[in-house]
Amino acid sequence: MSEQDPLSDLEIREQSLAHVRDVLASPQKVPAAGLDQPKHETATDLVDGATSLERQLANEAEQM
């Protein structure tokens, strides 16, 4: 049985960043015509939060 080396902090942040970018791509697949105003606001809040998280993770990865 071989042991895998634990991921470095940078690798963990890069993986997290990739997953956040996947999350950001998902709302683009939802047809806007299918959303009423409250649902559109929820989707917008989701994108805003994920964009902020993406910037934070990218900054952390660049500083490492």
Side-chain angles (χ1 to χ4, degrees), residues 3-64:
E3 292 183 33
Q4 292 183 342
D5 291 331
L7 296 175
S8 70
D9 287 344
L10 177 59
E11 290 169 322
I12 292 169
R13 280 179 178 72
E14 287 174 339
Q15 284 184 356
S16 297
L17 183 57
H19 291 299
V20 168
R21 288 180 173 152
D22 289 343
V23 169
L24 279 169
S26 296
Q28 295 176 14
K29 298 175 184 175
V30 177
L35 302 177
D36 58 16
Q37 186 61 31
K39 290 179 182 87
H40 183 269
E41 289 176 14
T42 299
T44 301
D45 290 344
L46 171 71
V47 170
D48 290 346
T51 301
S52 176
L53 180 57
E54 177 190 29
R55 272 185 302 222
Q56 292 172 19
L57 289 168
N59 287 338
E60 288 177 3
E62 287 175 10
Q63 292 175 4
M64 296 186 103

